Amino acid sequence: MDRAIYTAMTAAEAALNRQAVTSNNLANSSTAGFRAQLAAFRAVPVNGDSLPTRALVAASTPMHDSSMGPITHTGRSLDVALPQNTWLSVALEDGSEGYTRNGNIDVDNEGGLRVNGRPLMGDGAALTVPPQSHVTVAADGTISALGAGNDATAVVPVGRIKLVSAQMSDLRHGDDGLFRAATGNALAQDETLRLSPEALEGSNVSPVHTMAEMIANSRGFDMNMKVIRSADENAQKANQLLSVG
């Protein structure tokens, strides 16, 4: 049987994987601080007794687009925008740390600061503020709180956001959308880093480019499916000729 069906099958599978990555990017085109994932594949030559005329498609190391998204001034006191290669630290269920560039910080009912439901880390512990207080963030990450009904001069610092510096290549991406240190250890706080208060970095995904990429992936998948159907038809005709003989 002609083994072209297997080479086309690996190409179709790669097209499906690319489409899944592209769809996820498009779904997060409005997520603050989102980094677009890049699907990477490589050709693997088929070695054997025949001539090396064919190659299979295999997934390679996935990458992310590290370019900055647009910075928008929101005027919200708990929004922060981060410079390049700077990350916020959040606590995970297993006690380790995850890293994100989403600077949309919220306060829960108990005064805990959270990012997407994850506790925001300070110096060695999750950050909390007095309930019903007005919270502001300084450029160095210092959190200040003004209690409800207090005089404006009663602002007190309650902690400092843990900011870490890391290249994208030093991190690995998790299924929950957060990044972890490739070494498995928590990254150290960088005291020199500064953020932009009352601003948010948007996703670096271009919806127009991503939609065009989805169309190209769909056409590539259809092309490989046609090759599979053609190989199957050729095999059926060959079997008919053999049965006649």
Side-chain angles (χ1 to χ4, degrees), residues 180-239:
R180 278 89 167 163
T183 60
N185 300 321
L187 300 177
Q189 182 170 352
D190 191 336
E191 303 287 347
T192 63
L193 295 175
R194 295 294 182 268
L195 49 77
S196 300
E198 299 186 358
L200 272 181
E201 178 195 4
S203 171
N204 66 353
V205 175
S206 169
V208 175
H209 173 76
T210 306
M211 284 295 297
E213 187 176 354
M214 290 185 67
I215 295 173
N217 291 337
S218 178
R219 289 177 177 173
F221 177 79
D222 290 340
M223 179 185 66
N224 288 295
M225 292 305 296
K226 289 180 180 178
V227 174
I228 293 176
R229 285 192 293 269
S230 297
D232 183 57
E233 292 173 357
N234 291 338
Q236 291 179 9
K237 293 178 180 179
N239 289 333

Side-chain angles (χ1 to χ4, degrees), residues 6-195:
Y6 295 109
T7 55
M9 179 190 66
T10 60
E13 182 183 18
L16 282 178
N17 292 335
R18 283 196 300 270
Q19 192 73 306
V21 171
T22 305
S23 300
N24 181 66
N25 290 340
L26 184 62
N28 287 278
S29 60
S30 60
T31 301
F34 182 79
R35 288 288 183 265
Q37 186 177 354
L38 306 176
F41 298 91
R42 57 190 176 90
V44 180
V46 178
N47 298 318
D49 297 332
S50 61
L51 295 176
T53 58
R54 293 177 182 168
L56 302 178
V57 180
S60 185
T61 304
M63 301 172 291
H64 287 80
D65 182 2
S66 61
S67 61
M68 291 281 293
I71 303 296
T72 303
H73 178 77
T74 64
R76 182 173 175 267
S77 61
L78 282 175
D79 285 343
V80 296
L82 307 174
Q84 184 74 291
N85 299 326
T86 301
W87 305 81
L88 298 177
S89 176
V90 295
L92 304 179
E93 289 83 355
D94 59 1
S96 61
E97 290 186 1
Y99 304 101
T100 178
R101 290 186 57 84
N102 186 348
N104 186 14
I105 304 171
D106 294 313
V107 183
D108 62 21
N109 296 331
E110 298 179 354
L113 298 184
R114 293 179 173 270
V115 176
N116 276 345
R118 308 279 186 177
L120 180 64
M121 293 297 294
D123 187 10
L127 291 168
T128 58
V129 296
Q132 307 302 322
S133 60
H134 177 68
V135 182
T136 56
V137 184
D140 64 352
T142 300
I143 303 291
S144 300
L146 176 64
N150 291 345
D151 186 79
T153 60
V155 176
V156 293
V158 294
R160 185 177 180 182
I161 298 174
K162 180 178 180 180
L163 300 174
V164 301
S165 178
Q167 299 285 338
M168 187 74 71
S169 57
D170 298 328
L171 302 172
R172 57 182 179 85
H173 187 253
D175 294 335
D176 54 3
L178 298 174
F179 290 83
R180 278 89 167 163
T183 60
N185 300 321
L187 300 177
Q189 182 170 352
D190 191 336
E191 303 287 347
T192 63
L193 295 175
R194 295 294 182 268
L195 49 77

